[in-house]
Amino acid sequence: MTWIITTEHPRTPDATTLRRDYYDEVASRYWERPATEREIDEGLTDDGTDLLVPPTGTFVVGRYEGKPSACAGMVLLDAELAELTRVFVRPEARGTGGGGRLLKAIEKTARAYGAKRIQLDTRNDLVEARGLYTKHGYREVEALNAKQYAEHWFVKDLTDSPDTKDLT
């Protein structure tokens, strides 16, 4: 089975649907109930998506067997530091290597922008995400910020040569 990862504007139809699905999943897990359409709309309002385009960042969409199935974004925080954000793989495509491919694409772009390190924050309940980051060389660190939903923080040094042997 094949994954194709492409850079897209975060407001294309496929990217928008994936961002909505991402927010639906993380909000529904947090609230322990399905998120409503209104809650999803409110959550995506002024969510920083405008930073996910050059020169401040990027957004990638992963297609599995031709279907939009995953996404991830990156925002430059300063000349040498990037933040990984909105990493999402649809449940039916999990375990197929898409998450690793998203990370590699984002890391490659971050390096091209001059970033020497990439960081992220995530929550306790996003166990799959924490496992993905650890598997791909991110190390957990002390708190990097005081964001409301941040419970775990990870960083990765981007100055080492990219590891291309394990894209799963």
Side-chain angles (χ1 to χ4, degrees):
M1 303 304 158
T2 305
W3 274 98
I4 297 173
I5 309 295
T6 58
T7 301
E8 287 191 27
H9 193 284
R11 297 201 189 281
T12 66
D14 287 345
T16 298
T17 299
L18 286 162
R19 287 187 311 104
R20 290 185 69 78
D21 290 351
Y22 159 82
Y23 192 82
D24 182 18
E25 180 166 328
V26 297
S28 296
R29 281 189 184 199
Y30 184 78
W31 293 323
E32 298 180 351
R33 63 163 175 79
T36 66
E37 288 297 311
R38 182 177 175 197
E39 289 167 333
I40 295 168
D41 290 341
E42 289 173 1
L44 294 174
T45 300
D46 298 325
D47 68 343
T49 300
D50 293 338
L51 296 174
L52 300 175
V53 296
T56 54
T58 194
F59 192 78
V60 296
V61 170
R63 288 178 175 77
Y64 183 63
E65 297 182 346
K67 296 181 234 168
S69 301
C71 64
M74 182 274 299
V75 175
L76 286 175
L77 299 178
D78 64 36
E80 296 185 350
L81 179 63
E83 181 177 41
L84 179 65
T85 185
R86 294 173 185 81
V87 177
F88 174 70
V89 178
R90 287 195 168 131
E92 63 272 15
R94 291 179 187 159
T96 62
R101 292 182 189 282
L102 290 172
L103 295 180
K104 296 298 178 196
I106 291 293
E107 292 165 11
K108 180 179 179 182
T109 301
R111 282 184 187 93
Y113 276 50
K116 295 183 179 357
R117 189 174 71 154
I118 191 165
Q119 69 182 39
L120 65 100
D121 58 68
T122 191
R123 298 192 326 237
N124 285 329
D125 60 325
L126 300 177
V127 177
E128 303 91 339
R130 293 188 353 246
L132 175 71
Y133 304 135
T134 300
K135 178 179 179 179
H136 290 278
Y138 289 74
R139 62 183 172 80
E140 193 160 358
V141 297
E142 296 295 320
L144 297 169
N145 58 48
K147 292 180 185 175
Q148 179 180 1
Y149 302 109
E151 297 169 315
H152 295 270
W153 297 263
F154 291 84
V155 297
K156 184 174 183 178
D157 181 6
L158 297 177
T159 59
D160 295 334
S161 61
D163 179 11
T164 56
K165 64 183 184 256
D166 180 19
L167 294 176
T168 58

